[in-house]
Amino acid sequence: MPRRQNTAAQRAREVQHETGTKYTAALREASKGAARVGTFSLQELLTECTTLPQWTGVHPEVDAEWAPKMFDSALLGGPVPYSAVLRLAGDLAGNGMSAEMRLESRKDFDSLVVACGARRFEFLLYQDDWVCELCRIPGCDRAPVSARCIPYCAGEHLAERSEAELVRMARDWGSDRREDCSRTPAAVDPGEEGDQLISAAIAQGVYAEVSEALLVSCYEERHMIEDVYWGETAMEVSHAMDREQLRMNKVAVAAAKRLQEAAGGHCACGAPLFPGAQRGVPTRFCSSTCAAAGER
């Protein structure tokens, strides 16, 4: 399969040859349109990685002794570390070799972002083997709360998810935590990630639904505890659920206070906001009536 033409890297080389411009400067201009190159498969990217010779240019960000070994990728708009591509291939192994990918953005020799379906990954181009999954919202440069179960950043995008999404993420996260603590079921801890879900639920006014999904997936349906566990273990799990419910209530109240203080303490209608979780009422509204009006 021939290499694709008219990529940012190739255009940069053409400009360098014609005008004498430094390669990095030419690449900076050419890369402005790199994200328009289109899609490619994981197999095509691996073919480049395993067949192209090592790039021999001078890395503008790091000294030669620290520079990663790179190849000049037509698909990714310029030189990229071999090891980063191989690590990405490992992360996407479950998607298959035909997984469709695209270059979202590139910042010269600093970093680039590639997307595969809804998943987004950042490469650092000045060191080996550094690939980090990002929040799934295009353009966001923050890490997700949990790439596997809660794939949105805690800053704002998690709080924008729907009730159904938050409940699903709570179930997935709780199930993972429960599996981790399968030998000591009363020791399950939803952790900071669970608290981020609670904060997002408060922002959307769905605390009851999300906290219940998180609690049950971490432990068990309350009426099933004695059927699933026995004796002392059943009692310990029941007490652990009670303690966790109280703790989540405190987390919810604290999250509501923070969000309401950020909103100036008043609803859009001018009424004061009250701390605490109100069922069906996002924390920036004083009542379900104002929430309904504000969503229109």
Side-chain angles (χ1 to χ4, degrees), residues 38-53:
T39 60
F40 51 90
S41 69
L42 177 59
Q43 183 172 5
E44 288 178 284
L45 182 58
L46 279 174
T47 298
E48 276 195 338
C49 181
T50 55
T51 60
L52 292 183

Side-chain angles (χ1 to χ4, degrees), residues 7-292:
T7 65
Q10 290 167 322
R11 293 195 299 274
R13 285 191 290 271
E14 291 168 2
V15 171
Q16 180 190 30
H17 177 73
E18 294 172 2
T19 67
T21 305
K22 289 184 179 180
Y23 178 81
T24 52
L27 178 61
R28 182 178 300 111
E29 292 302 314
S31 292
K32 291 179 180 179
R36 297 191 295 270
V37 170
T39 60
F40 51 90
S41 69
L42 177 59
Q43 183 172 5
E44 288 178 284
L45 182 58
L46 279 174
T47 298
E48 276 195 338
C49 181
T50 55
T51 60
L52 292 183
Q54 184 174 338
W55 180 68
T56 57
V58 177
H59 200 298
E61 301 292 336
V62 290
D63 294 337
E65 61 179 314
W66 302 110
K69 293 181 179 179
M70 311 175 83
F71 67 95
D72 198 354
S73 171
L75 301 174
L76 298 182
V80 293
Y82 289 102
S83 57
V85 170
L86 294 175
R87 180 169 177 179
L88 177 68
D91 289 340
L92 294 175
N95 295 64
M97 296 295 286
S98 61
E100 190 174 84
M101 308 176 67
R102 66 181 177 84
L103 176 64
E104 182 178 300
S105 63
R106 178 169 181 136
K107 299 177 182 177
D108 302 329
F109 280 80
D110 179 73
S111 63
L112 64 81
V113 176
V114 293
C116 180
R119 301 177 70 184
R120 303 169 60 245
F121 299 85
E122 181 182 41
F123 288 19
L124 289 188
L125 301 177
Y126 47 82
Q127 67 183 66
D128 279 311
D129 197 28
W130 201 99
V131 178
C132 177
E133 191 154 356
L134 297 176
C135 172
R136 292 197 177 184
I137 301 300
C140 181
D141 61 0
R142 292 185 289 270
V145 174
S146 164
R148 173 180 166 81
C149 299
I150 313 172
Y152 299 94
C153 66
E156 60 176 312
H157 293 132
L158 180 60
E160 295 174 350
R161 301 303 95 202
S162 67
E163 174 185 340
E165 289 178 286
L166 290 172
V167 167
R168 176 181 53 77
M169 288 186 279
R171 287 174 179 161
D172 290 346
W173 175 251
S175 296
D176 261 23
R177 296 295 296 135
R178 184 173 179 175
E179 185 175 346
D180 289 342
C181 299
S182 59
R183 293 187 178 182
T184 53
V188 179
D189 177 6
E192 182 179 347
E193 294 85 349
D195 290 352
Q196 296 290 358
L197 284 169
I198 293 300
S199 295
I202 286 293
Q204 290 288 10
V206 292
Y207 169 68
E209 295 79 2
V210 172
S211 62
E212 180 66 12
L214 189 58
L215 198 65
V216 169
S217 58
C218 279
Y219 299 100
E220 185 54 70
E221 295 278 358
R222 287 190 180 273
H223 68 275
M224 292 292 295
I225 290 177
E226 292 190 1
D227 293 328
V228 176
Y229 305 105
W230 295 274
E232 185 176 345
T233 300
M235 182 176 63
E236 290 174 349
V237 170
S238 180
H239 289 169
M241 289 185 73
D242 290 339
R243 289 193 299 271
E244 183 57 28
Q245 182 70 72
L246 290 172
R247 193 194 69 81
M248 286 195 296
N249 289 343
K250 292 179 181 178
V251 170
V253 171
K257 286 181 178 179
R258 288 195 301 271
L259 292 170
Q260 291 169 353
E261 286 173 0
H266 287 81
C267 178
C269 71
L273 294 171
F274 298 98
Q278 298 186 66
R279 189 180 184 88
V281 182
T283 192
R284 66 184 184 278
F285 297 109
C286 64
S287 67
S288 57
T289 301
C290 279

